[in-house]
Every structure is written in C-alpha cells, then in structure tokens.
Amino acid sequence: MRTVYNAARQIKEKQDAFCARAEAVSWADVHTSAACTQKIFWGKPSLTFFAAVPKYTHYYAAQRVQVRIGFRTPRPEAYLVTETLKRAFSSTPAAAIFATNARYKREAYRGSEFAPPKILHEAGILVDEEWSPVMDSRNLLYEAQQAFFYGLPADTALVSVTSTAAFDIPKTLNFGRTVKYDGLPPLAPDSDSDIVAFTNVTALGGSSVAEGLGTIVVDGGQPQSVSTQVAALRSPLRGGGIGDLGDAFTAVPKGKLPLIADVASADIIATLIELKAEVDSETGGRIRIFIPRAHEVHLLAPQLAKATLGVILNPSRPYPLPWSTVRMLPGPLLSKRTAVQVLLDHGVTVGLGVEDAWMARNTRFDVAWAALETGGALSQSTAFALASSNFEKLFDLEFPKDLVAYEGGDMWSSSAKSVAVISSSKGCVDMF
C-alpha cells in the first residue's frame, strides 16, 4: 500500500503542477510536460488524494495503520482507540460495525455489543451499522434495533443505518491501544443479599419475570457428496459401524441417541426421510432425527410430521446465501407465511437455533421476530417453546428451570433489560 500510494501521490503532484501551468497560460511548459501520460492502474489511487474517491479499509484489530488516506472503519475494536481516532482525524471519524457480531475469530475477540452505544457514541465517534453477506440486508433496521437495545439513542441508531453511511468522510488514521481486559470484562452479579423480593411485577407493565431460554449451537462438518454421506450413515445404522463410533451408532436405531443431520436442501432432507424409513423397517426401531439449518424444510412439512423428524431453523430468519437454500421461505414481505408457521401447522417439533455462539444473546429477539412475522398466529407460549421446551423434546434432555427478571417490559421487548436471574440450579438470586 505504501508503494501504491507513494506512486499515486507523485502523479497527483505532477497533475497539480500541470494544471497550474495551464491556468497560468504557460503553454510551452504545458507542451513539454508529461504529467498526463500515466497508466490507468494509478487512476483510482491518485483520486484518493483529490478526495474524489474515499478509501475504505476493512480490518478488525486495533492495530497501528500507517497509510493516511481516506475513510477508515476499524471494526470491531475501534472502541479501544477512540482518543487516538479523534486525534488522527481533522473532524469526527466514523466506525462501521455490526451491532452484536463479534468474538467469532481472533481478530474480533475483543468486540462488544456495548461498544457502539457506551463507548463509541459517548466518545463522539460516528456509528455506522454495517451489513455484508454475513447478514441479510433486509434486516438492516434490526441492526439499529439491537444497537438501541444495548444503549445507542433511538435517533442515533436510526441514522446509523441511513444518513451516516451517506457521508463521504476522508480522514487520516494512526492507531495505538491500551487494553485493560483481553476479551470482555467478567460478568458477575453486583449485589449480595439473603432475601430478594420482586414487587409490582406484571406481564405488560414496567417489569416481568420469565423462564430462561436455552440455546444450542450446532457446527456442521466438512462438506461431502450426498451419496457419500448417506452411505456413511447407512452402514453404521445397520450395525456395520467400527470402534467407538460403531458402538455409539447402536443406540441410534433404538431411539436412545438422536441423529443430527446438518442439511439445508429439501432434496437431501427427502433422502434422509427415506433412509429413516428404510432403517426403521429393517431394525424394528425408530430413529430420532433432527435437522439443523433446514432452509428448504417447509417443502416437506407433511413428510417430516409423518416421519417424526424434528427441525432446528438455523438461522431463524434464513436467507438464500448458497444455492442449496434457494427455495427457502423468506417470510414477510416476500412471502405470506414463514417456515415456522408451516412446520408448526403440520405438527413438526421446531426449535430456533444460532449459527455462532455470539448470536445466542439475541435469542429472545429471534423468538419475538418469529412470532411477529406470523401476524399474531403464534401464541406467546408456542413462541416461547421454540427456544425452550422444544429443545428438550428434540434432545431428550431437561434444562435448568431458571427464571429471569426484566425491567422495562416483558422479555420480548427491546426496551426491557434483565436485572436478575432466579436460579433453582444454583439456589440463589443473582442481581445485575
């Protein structure tokens, strides 16, 4: 980058000199100047010096950056270097970040959902909520909603997905950093008492108490052909497994251990239904299969219900990123119904999953969106089961029955904050 921009700077200086001679009507000097003879390659880099083309640099860590040209958006660690950001730029800089997307790799490890509202905004840094193939651009306003939930003022959250991104802000940049915690500060209760009393609790008023939600993250394996994967399943399910894996598979046809098939395509799901019927017929058992991702699963809802296959919609609001998911049901406004509605109407056990661990913090909002997009067809208890009791059915497990107290609304509200956990498993109440 230094080499490219140094060459571009020299071209820009020659062009300035050329234009100065022309404006001075120094035609002899203009005639002998070779300033305008350049390769097309240097065009855009040189334009950044004229502020005609702002430079966008995509990176994560709050490291030192020596190139001083254009518009910088360090993410998600910009909150670590707010003062150096402001010193480096001649006017207010901007940071393009996701509301909650962080901690999924080393460079994003120190990212925090509290960075936009509590640190960047209060430090005077413009917040630009970003979208990319990581998320569905239809949900861009949801990014603003999440930023608002974590403390960004409502008007600032709205402009973070509208006018802020429209500004052309060429700046300079030079980062340094000071880190107190390597990662997020530890989360711990901030009060200790022998007796905790909850008063004036209502479901619709200023506060509420609800059961905690459960979250399962399912990580898919390496991609293989469908025929290879089915063949790899068929043999151990018939008792042909070897070693520890073979021993584990003996429990699957008996229904003692569930089989998790991480697939999206309806064609592959249909093959799994056939495989289940085949093995059940041969062994006299009843395999329990549930399917994470399952983007196209609504096409086979009757067959799934008949075969008693469960589904974990993952993500809960799918979008067709790979071709194998192109027949997914997008929901409003592009389709009248959602996959959740179709599956529940046919009696399929459905859970809402997350693709990465960082997404778990938004589970209650995922449930709220699932209910909202049905236009009131889902009751509150049915919606709640999507992230609680339905998982117990799928995994044949029993989760701890902890309760969470919310202030400012019920658990589905973006204005409600969790203030306490009433834990039966720990035998105490943690206050936050």
Side-chain angles (χ1 to χ4, degrees), residues 346-405:
H346 285 85
V348 178
T349 301
V350 184
L352 300 184
V354 296
E355 295 177 293
D356 293 302
W358 65 265
M359 298 176 176
R361 69 177 68 88
N362 295 323
T363 298
R364 64 184 175 111
F365 298 138
D366 292 338
V367 175
W369 274 110
L372 182 66
E373 290 182 336
T374 65
L378 255 64
S379 66
Q380 191 171 90
S381 59
T382 301
F384 187 85
L386 296 173
S388 56
S389 58
N390 285 4
F391 278 95
E392 293 182 316
K393 294 177 184 178
L394 291 170
F395 286 92
D396 194 22
L397 297 173
E398 185 173 350
F399 297 143
K401 296 298 189 292
D402 293 347
L403 299 177
V404 180

Side-chain angles (χ1 to χ4, degrees), residues 54 71 94 126 128 159-169:
F71 179 40
L126 295 176
D128 179 10
V159 300
S160 74
V161 294
T162 53
S163 59
T164 300
F167 287 110
D168 176 13
I169 319 176

